[in-house]
Amino acid sequence: MSSLMVVVAACQSMPGSTAKKTPVYVERPVDLLYNNARDELSKKNYAEAVTGFEEVDRQHPYSEWARRALLMTAYANYQQNKYEDAIAGAQRFASLYPGNESAVYAYYLIAICYFEQIVDVGRDQRMTELALAALNEVVQRYPQTEYARDARLKIDMTQDQLAGKEMEIGRYYLRDGQQLAAMGRFRRVVDLYQTTTHVPEALHRLVETNLSMGLVDEATKVGAVLGYNYPGSEWYEASYKLLTAKGVTPEARPGRRGLFQRIIRPKRGLEKAPAPPQAESQTSSVPVGASQTGK
């Protein structure tokens, strides 16, 4: 690994002394420090890259290179799955340089760090909520960017995840005989996550719950909504059987599942966050996207 600093250590000049002098860190040219760190990054030596970029900021805190190094440090931490450090670095960049062209990447990196920590629906969905909020911020702040396009795809996936959690809780309440609590969860899916794959089942569960409570008219209304929107789904077929068994004839018979009734998997976005845009320039003495005024 290329050395980041010169360490001068020598025995003290006093006769008989065996103590060593405190190491002295000699300032190095900023471009050399940065290029060494960037080389470590290209070799996927992410820990060494973080050390190098932090040294740029330590020795030259007010330079354009320091600004550039701050975002690169966040990215190198992200590559090591050190999400908390990556988020903290990206948040610092966005706070210090909100008008910088690379601020969009900082917000995007924050969102991706949360997104990659999403766990299955059987566990707490706090990270999913944080990811959704951060992804929405990217879209709202920078709607025309490539980062916003990827964020929109991931928003669909996070909403589907949150809807899945609501369904899991609702099914639990339904099995436990807590119909009102179950109904509240299924209604949340229909009201808050209308574009997710869980809506047809949520409507069916509302039919099922209403019937179990003797609310046949309400169940019929929900069944009609389900039949109108998802006539070819398995969930409408199930609701149709439940309603006819109660002597109620829904407005429509279940139809064959057509092209537009098929459940489509959400399109996937980028698997990993790309490198910061500032990393694309390797020879410029001023970071790409960094203004001279620091705005």
Side-chain angles (χ1 to χ4, degrees):
M1 182 185 79
S2 300
S3 176
L4 300 177
M5 59 196 72
V6 176
V7 180
V8 179
C11 294
Q12 292 187 358
S13 59
M14 292 181 63
S17 174
T18 58
K20 298 251 182 119
K21 285 185 177 180
T22 302
V24 177
Y25 298 94
V26 179
E27 183 175 325
R28 302 290 298 278
V30 63
D31 56 340
L32 181 60
L33 286 171
Y34 183 89
N35 288 335
N36 285 340
R38 191 199 62 225
D39 290 343
E40 297 296 345
L41 184 66
S42 66
K43 297 174 185 176
K44 298 184 179 181
N45 296 329
Y46 299 120
E48 291 81 357
V50 167
T51 300
F53 289 128
E54 288 178 343
E55 188 65 18
V56 172
D57 185 54
R58 191 186 75 83
Q59 291 197 22
H60 306 275
Y62 304 110
S63 68
E64 297 288 345
W65 292 93
R67 180 189 307 173
R68 183 176 184 175
L70 178 57
L71 199 56
M72 296 302 292
T73 301
Y75 174 70
N77 277 318
Y78 160 77
Q79 287 289 357
Q80 301 177 84
N81 296 331
K82 292 185 176 180
Y83 296 117
E84 290 186 6
D85 292 337
I87 290 170
Q91 288 176 334
R92 182 183 172 207
F93 185 95
S95 176
L96 292 174
Y97 314 111
N100 187 269
E101 292 180 10
S102 293
V104 57
Y105 183 84
Y107 283 104
Y108 174 78
L109 188 60
I110 293 168
I112 294 303
C113 286
Y114 286 131
F115 183 83
E116 291 190 4
Q117 296 181 80
I118 292 176
V119 295
D120 62 82
V121 294
R123 300 167 64 183
D124 181 76
Q125 295 300 302
R126 176 59 177 164
M127 284 298 169
T128 310
E129 295 170 350
L130 291 171
L132 180 58
L135 289 165
N136 276 322
E137 187 165 19
V138 172
V139 173
Q140 291 167 6
R141 286 178 177 270
Y142 310 98
Q144 304 304 320
T145 63
E146 61 177 320
Y147 303 111
R149 288 190 289 272
D150 184 64
R152 290 187 185 96
L153 297 178
K154 288 180 169 60
I155 285 171
D156 289 340
M157 298 166 72
T158 56
Q159 288 181 329
D160 204 78
Q161 179 85 357
L162 291 172
K165 182 64 175 181
E166 294 290 342
M167 291 301 301
E168 182 189 55
I169 297 173
R171 286 190 292 264
Y172 169 80
Y173 285 142
L174 191 59
R175 290 193 301 269
D176 198 46
Q178 302 182 55
Q179 287 92 342
L180 288 176
M183 188 177 295
R185 295 293 179 165
F186 300 140
R187 282 177 173 169
R188 279 178 60 83
V189 173
V190 175
D191 293 340
L192 301 180
Y193 307 109
Q194 297 179 2
T195 61
T196 69
T197 60
H198 297 281
V199 172
E201 183 187 355
L203 290 168
H204 166 68
R205 299 299 180 187
L206 285 171
V207 171
E208 185 179 11
T209 305
N210 278 301
L211 287 177
S212 70
M213 298 172 65
L215 304 175
V216 178
D217 288 344
E218 187 64 27
T220 304
K221 292 177 183 178
V222 177
V225 173
L226 176 56
Y228 179 82
N229 290 281
Y230 306 97
S233 73
E234 60 181 305
W235 299 111
Y236 183 55
E237 292 179 9
S239 289
Y240 186 86
K241 291 178 181 179
L242 288 177
L243 290 167
T244 53
K246 291 290 185 179
V248 179
T249 303
E251 295 181 2
R253 291 180 176 275
R256 298 178 65 182
R257 184 178 295 184
L259 176 64
F260 297 104
Q261 280 75 48
R262 295 174 187 161
I263 294 178
I264 308 294
R265 288 182 179 273
K267 295 180 180 179
R268 296 185 65 84
L270 299 175
E271 293 299 323
K272 293 285 287 183
Q278 294 179 351
E280 296 174 1
S281 174
Q282 298 186 1
T283 58
S284 173
S285 60
V286 178
V288 175
S291 67
Q292 295 290 338
T293 61
K295 294 181 179 180

